[in-house]
Amino acid sequence: LTSRKLINSEDSCVDEALWGLVRATGGLSLLRGHRVVVRSDLQSLKGKVALLSGGGSGHEPAHGGYIGAGMLSAAVAGGVFASPPPTSILAAILSLHNAGASGILLIVKNYTGDRLNFGLAAEQARNHGVAVDMVIVAEDCAFDRPSKAGRRGLCGTVFIHKLAGALAEEGCSLDQIVSKVTEVLKGIGTLGVSLSPCSVPGCLPSFELPPGDMELGLGIHGEPGIRRSKVSSADEVVRTMIEHMTNPNSQSHLPLQSGDTVVLCVNNLGALSCLEMSVVTRATISCLEARGVVVARTMTGSFMTSLEMAGVSLTLMKADQEVLTLFDARTSAPAWPNLSSVSVSGRSCVTEAPVMSSKPQDDTQNEGPLSPVMRKALEKICSTLLEKQEELNSLDRTAGDGDCGNTHAQAARAIQEWLQGHVVPGCPGRLLSILAGLLEEKMGGSSGALYSLFLTAAAGHMTEGRSNTAAWATAMHAGTQAMRRCKSRECFNVYNVCLWSFGGNLANSKCLKPLKRRVLEQTASGVESTRDLTARAGRASYIAADRVTLPDPGAVAVAAIFTAVMETLQTGS
């Protein structure tokens, strides 16, 4: 199990992670003999309230990443998902007190171990004459009827770090800070959802979650949630989360009404991609605005994680102008994001694009004698590419990113959509121009550029009055030449082996049946020859040649297109 995590050992990973944090951050240092990270400039705390937080490791960047001017003064780390010992907490408190802090505020998540150990250290510190107080963060919205232990402390803790830190930097007293953050806590709520469990180094996953299922309302220590369901769309998941968080029938709900202003935190629990996080962020902002809620600020990223859990939590904090001012105050904490102070809601998010010339496919077209057969050929091409989507993806996974089938399917669907609302022009060159524009815009990737380049060059050699096999062969030749001019010959051999064989047969054929036979034979031969090609460009060029032994998916796609064309022509003949 250790080998599944990039660590040296289960026993040393926490200490090594803390060393990694302080070595990389100039404003932090370790308290000798303890898992305590402190500000390097402790002398700057003289006369001010110092803030101390902490808890089990595995939630990085919490809590060490939030140490700095304007946030925490120190953080105590326990083992992975284990509360830190009172001796280390007390050592941290005394270090801050000895630096001249006027008081120490402990910010503690509502877990039994943390409350006991921080509470014990606080009592011991008072016996040393230290002015110390403790704020318990308990903003979890998961349980309709919380147990006697109360609501759990989750990512909302980071908001309290920020607000309390700003108040301390302003010189507020310990009592003033406690009073303010206690008031703000009433308007904070958090709920999480996950697509996978996590595992403590050296241990089995914390719970079993079958593929395709998700867990709602889970905690940050790998404990299961309150409800399990099938994974649905991001919009639906976010809507479910917001509805649960604000359900007035739940004792843990966050009272949220139309017209309220909130700060939103979309927190990656560990393993979601940045792309997924942005999708969830958009969905959450849209969901809140649809309910009449004003989103003043949004922070998206990893703020309080649960090791490698593939999940996300949403935290909402009701905010007035005073809270927003504290939230916007500067901090040197390394994990705090560089946020804009411009309100999210009400801001224009679109910049006008320059006026472009009208696309060919937008022009009115006239049908001609060739229009029916060209439409049938396009329909056959589209259905063929959609059928081959997974086959092309499978081939592409050996040498690329596994999306060749998807990009060709995108092109097929774009053409199908265009066919539903347009006539096929009688001029083949006009049709090729239209297809070039469609694929340039809709297909994407290198394939989209290649097809568009080929079709654009070929289009100029086709007119309504000149559309015999010789003209098509000339057009094919022009397209392949354009591709070769733009990149190296080797790069496009995967396409050219099929394009050249098709074009050459067109130029030398007067009868359809032998033409079809030769095209199919030579395109099949061309596809097979790509097994031995060495990639000079694209993602495949980064992979060892001996690992790429299958036909190139681009060549397979081109061969499928030509086969579809020939079958259509033979049926039409």
Side-chain angles (χ1 to χ4, degrees):
L1 288 169
T2 302
S3 63
R4 298 176 62 182
K5 297 184 185 297
L6 199 57
I7 59 175
N8 294 312
S9 75
E10 297 98 334
D11 296 333
S12 65
C13 62
V14 170
D15 296 298
E16 291 174 354
L18 292 175
W19 272 110
L21 173 65
V22 299
R23 291 298 301 272
T25 311
L28 306 181
S29 63
L30 276 171
L31 196 63
R32 188 180 299 278
H34 298 277
R35 288 173 171 171
V36 176
V37 182
V38 298
R39 286 175 57 173
S40 299
D41 59 343
L42 287 178
Q43 68 280 0
S44 65
L45 296 174
K46 189 171 183 178
K48 296 180 180 179
V49 173
L51 307 182
L52 174 65
S53 189
S57 298
H59 306 304
E60 292 74 16
H63 295 272
Y66 301 116
I67 299 172
M71 288 193 78
L72 299 180
S73 310
V76 192
V80 176
F81 294 171
S83 181
T87 51
S88 291
I89 300 171
L90 179 61
I93 294 172
L94 294 178
S95 295
L96 299 175
H97 175 70
N98 294 339
S102 60
I104 314 295
L105 175 60
L106 308 183
I107 301 174
V108 181
K109 301 187 296 298
N110 188 34
Y111 294 99
T112 301
D114 288 350
R115 293 191 66 160
L116 287 173
N117 289 332
F118 276 88
L120 175 56
E123 291 301 324
Q124 294 171 337
R126 292 187 184 103
N127 292 337
H128 285 80
V130 180
V132 60
D133 206 341
M134 185 161 65
V135 168
I136 304 297
V137 181
E139 91 291 9
D140 180 20
C141 293
F143 298 97
D144 293 341
R145 302 289 184 271
S147 67
K148 289 184 178 180
R151 300 163 66 186
R152 296 170 294 195
L154 302 172
C155 193
T157 309
V158 179
F159 282 162
I160 299 304
H161 291 167
K162 184 65 181 68
L163 302 185
L167 289 166
E169 201 66 21
E170 290 179 357
C172 293
S173 69
L174 181 58
D175 289 342
Q176 288 174 319
I177 297 174
V178 170
S179 175
K180 182 61 183 177
V181 298
T182 301
E183 174 191 346
V184 172
L185 267 170
K186 298 174 184 177
I188 300 180
T190 298
L191 186 68
V193 67
S194 183
L195 310 181
S196 77
C198 63
S199 59
V200 173
C203 299
L204 293 171
S206 51
F207 59 90
E208 294 294 329
L209 190 61
D213 283 8
M214 65 180 187
E215 192 92 14
L216 180 70
L218 72 176
I220 56 172
H221 300 100
E223 63 269 38
I226 58 168
R227 186 192 312 165
R228 184 170 291 186
S229 62
K230 293 297 180 183
V231 177
S232 54
S233 69
D235 287 348
E236 292 173 353
V237 170
V238 166
R239 184 164 51 251
T240 298
M241 295 175 75
I242 297 296
E243 288 175 353
H244 187 93
M245 292 174 68
T246 60
N247 180 10
N249 296 322
S250 169
Q251 294 179 3
S252 300
H253 81 284
L254 173 67
L256 196 63
Q257 299 176 347
S258 176
D260 285 345
T261 298
V262 299
V263 174
L264 164 67
C265 177
V266 183
N267 172 54
N268 192 341
L269 289 172
L272 284 190
S273 66
C274 293
L275 185 146
E276 291 168 286
M277 289 296 294
S278 293
V279 170
V280 172
T281 300
R282 181 212 61 84
T284 308
I285 294 172
S286 298
C287 182
L288 291 170
E289 290 179 337
R291 297 165 66 103
V293 176
V294 178
V295 182
R297 305 286 186 274
T298 297
M299 48 195 287
T300 301
S302 298
F303 304 107
M304 185 171 288
T305 62
S306 185
L307 293 171
E308 80 281 17
M309 184 176 287
V312 63
S313 66
L314 303 179
T315 300
L316 299 175
M317 176 175 66
K318 296 168 73 171
D320 55 19
Q321 189 54 53
E322 181 186 2
V323 169
L324 290 178
T325 299
L326 295 172
F327 185 83
D328 291 339
R330 292 178 60 83
T331 177
S332 63
W336 186 257
N338 181 24
L339 298 174
S340 168
S341 59
V342 177
S343 178
V344 175
S345 295
R347 180 179 73 87
S348 174
C349 297
V350 177
T351 299
E352 294 299 327
V355 177
M356 308 287 283
S357 59
S358 62
K359 296 182 176 61
Q361 57 264 39
D362 296 331
D363 298 336
T364 302
Q365 306 293 336
N366 296 318
E367 288 188 306
L370 294 177
S371 295
V373 71
M374 290 194 293
R375 175 179 287 274
K376 289 180 181 178
L378 287 175
E379 291 171 346
K380 180 65 174 177
I381 289 169
C382 292
S383 62
T384 299
L385 290 178
L386 290 171
E387 290 170 3
K388 285 186 168 290
Q389 180 174 355
E390 185 47 43
E391 177 188 343
L392 295 175
N393 281 341
S394 179
L395 288 171
D396 196 32
R397 278 192 284 270
T398 65
D401 50 6
D403 69 344
C404 184
N406 293 345
T407 55
H408 281 81
Q410 284 176 208
R413 283 189 286 267
I415 295 171
Q416 287 177 331
E417 183 179 348
W418 181 85
L419 286 171
Q420 290 175 1
H422 298 81
V423 300
V424 174
C427 174
R430 197 63 179 150
L431 177 60
L432 296 182
S433 293
I434 291 171
L435 294 175
L438 275 175
L439 300 187
E440 176 187 351
E441 181 180 354
K442 302 292 187 180
M443 188 175 188
S446 300
S447 294
L450 283 171
Y451 281 114
S452 182
L453 178 63
F454 172 82
L455 292 168
T456 299
H461 295 267
M462 299 297 300
T463 63
E464 195 161 3
R466 185 173 181 270
S467 55
N468 54 24
T469 55
W472 280 102
T474 301
M476 297 283 290
H477 178 72
T480 53
Q481 286 297 104
M483 293 165 64
R484 299 173 90 181
R485 283 194 298 270
C486 287
K487 285 288 182 180
S488 67
R489 179 176 179 176
E490 292 84 352
C491 175
F492 298 113
N493 265 339
V494 294
Y495 290 91
N496 287 343
V497 290
C498 295
L499 294 172
W500 272 105
S501 61
F502 188 70
N505 280 298
L506 279 176
N508 297 304
S509 178
K510 295 181 180 180
C511 181
L512 185 60
K513 289 185 178 179
L515 169 62
K516 178 186 177 183
R517 185 179 63 254
R518 289 198 298 272
V519 165
L520 296 183
E521 289 174 354
Q522 293 193 23
T523 52
S525 175
V527 167
E528 281 300 305
S529 72
T530 62
R531 292 177 183 269
D532 303 319
L533 287 178
T534 300
R536 306 294 184 187
R539 293 180 179 89
S541 63
Y542 304 107
I543 300 174
D546 59 359
R547 294 182 57 188
V548 184
T549 59
L550 296 175
D552 185 90
V556 173
V558 173
I561 291 170
F562 290 153
T563 300
V565 171
M566 297 309 301
E567 289 178 353
T568 303
L569 292 176
Q570 187 172 35
T571 302
S573 64

